[in-house]
Amino acid sequence: MHSFLRISLACVLALFLTNCGAINLFPVSEDQRLGASFDAEIRKDPKQYPPYADPAATRYVQTIVDSITKAPQVRYRGIFPYRVQLLRDDATINAFCTPGGYIYVYTGLLKAIDNEATLAGVLGHEIAHAERRHSTNRMTTQLGLQTLTNIAIGSTSGREVQLAANAFTGLGLLQNSRNDEEEADAYSFTYLQHTHWYPGGILFFFEKVKGRSGSSLDRLLSTHPLPEDRITQTQARLQDANIAPPTDASLGERPYAAFKRSLR
Ligand SMILES: [Zn+2]
């Protein structure tokens, strides 16, 4: 039996006792393993994931990520790589983060938005999916109580669970639930409160995608459900936290305009 399963037995029993459901059967190393193998798959498939190899542009986005991950609520800074890679596809307005913190951003997103605060809001949201371990949480739920019971009574081997876990690969890992989306928005907001950017920047992103439809959004909406609630929730957060209206400085419009002009 894998050692992480033994460690998780206590969690399984806790689940039975409390019936809370908020457990993750997998150790953090599983998020790291999944992320590294997903990242390797992406690099092996430049047809589906064409890299946008521009070191200056990548550095610019990475600098924003590095500012966000300095927020005290980011627990896996230094444990997850939180490394940005840009993908060349102007028709895809999306970004995603694998479990374990490999961040991918499409040129379509970079070109569609107008300031750093918006990009920071989206990046914070992606970082939160990795931080909150949404993929392995969902894997735990989908493995189901029966499997958890079998593990607890010793009738399921670590190998079987590993095989079941391996079934959740590719984009399936990134199919976020509505709850995951809302939690990622909430955490992104908190992270951004520790930066100089306006923490409501993701609102501009919601506005952009609301007005569009068609294939450029298919992938976005398949991994990031966009209920109207996310807009009202962000507005409520701005109000509750007494956030001042955005300024030129807190939006970072000027540096972003220069960055956008540099994109090919
Ligand atoms: Zn999301």
Side-chain angles (χ1 to χ4, degrees):
M1 186 181 276
H2 288 197
S3 59
F4 80 79
L5 290 176
R6 272 197 295 272
I7 295 162
S8 296
L9 282 185
C11 303
V12 172
L13 293 172
L15 172 73
F16 291 150
L17 291 173
T18 65
N19 197 27
C20 70
I23 65 149
N24 189 324
L25 176 68
F26 297 92
V28 172
S29 62
E30 183 63 9
D31 295 54
Q32 293 172 299
R33 190 191 71 83
L34 286 166
S37 72
F38 201 168
D39 181 59
E41 289 300 314
I42 290 171
R43 287 159 179 277
K44 266 195 297 199
D45 192 358
K47 233 182 179 160
Q48 209 193 331
Y49 301 99
Y52 179 72
D54 177 339
T58 307
R59 253 196 323 273
Y60 175 82
V61 181
Q62 184 69 55
T63 304
I64 297 177
V65 164
D66 293 346
S67 301
I68 297 167
T69 55
K70 285 198 184 86
Q73 294 83 1
V74 174
R75 294 167 60 192
Y76 297 110
R77 173 188 49 239
I79 297 166
F80 293 169
Y82 290 127
R83 197 182 64 230
V84 169
Q85 292 164 89
L86 305 184
L87 296 173
R88 177 195 287 283
D89 182 358
D90 287 354
T92 298
I93 303 175
N94 202 6
F96 62 89
C97 185
T98 72
Y102 297 82
I103 302 166
Y104 284 88
V105 184
Y106 286 94
T107 51
L109 170 73
L110 297 173
K111 291 180 182 181
I113 61 177
D114 302 307
N115 59 59
E116 286 183 348
T118 306
L119 181 56
V122 172
L123 292 170
H125 175 102
E126 294 307 322
I127 290 164
H129 279 311
E131 277 291 310
R132 303 303 298 160
R133 307 184 59 211
H134 286 155
S135 294
T136 46
N137 282 349
R138 279 197 310 280
M139 281 161 55
T140 300
T141 311
Q142 288 169 35
L143 278 173
L145 201 56
Q146 190 54 54
T147 312
L148 298 178
T149 311
N150 291 346
I151 293 162
I153 62 176
S155 74
T156 294
S157 69
R159 171 118 190 96
E160 282 171 67
V161 172
Q162 196 63 62
L163 287 174
N166 285 345
F168 299 96
T169 51
L171 280 177
L173 269 178
L174 305 176
Q175 307 269 322
N176 298 300
S177 72
R178 190 190 170 111
N179 277 354
D180 293 347
E181 287 308 291
E182 290 174 359
E183 188 177 62
D185 286 346
Y187 273 78
S188 178
F189 189 91
T190 308
Y191 302 155
L192 262 60
Q193 285 183 277
H194 294 271
T195 70
H196 69 274
W197 291 295
Y198 175 64
I202 202 166
L203 281 176
F204 302 114
F205 173 70
F206 293 152
E207 298 299 329
K208 288 269 178 199
V209 300
K210 244 177 52 179
R212 298 189 191 224
S213 60
S215 64
S216 64
L217 289 176
D218 285 355
R219 231 183 288 186
L220 171 81
L221 296 174
S222 73
T223 55
H224 294 87
L226 185 62
E228 189 74 17
D229 307 3
R230 292 179 64 194
I231 295 174
T232 42
Q233 283 166 352
T234 306
Q235 285 162 341
R237 275 181 206 114
L238 286 165
Q239 211 160 37
D240 292 347
N242 236 330
I243 303 292
T247 62
D248 284 355
S250 72
L251 289 177
E253 254 169 4
R254 231 179 285 183
Y256 197 79
F259 164 69
K260 238 166 104 166
R261 278 196 300 275
S262 81
L263 295 174
R264 283 166 283 123

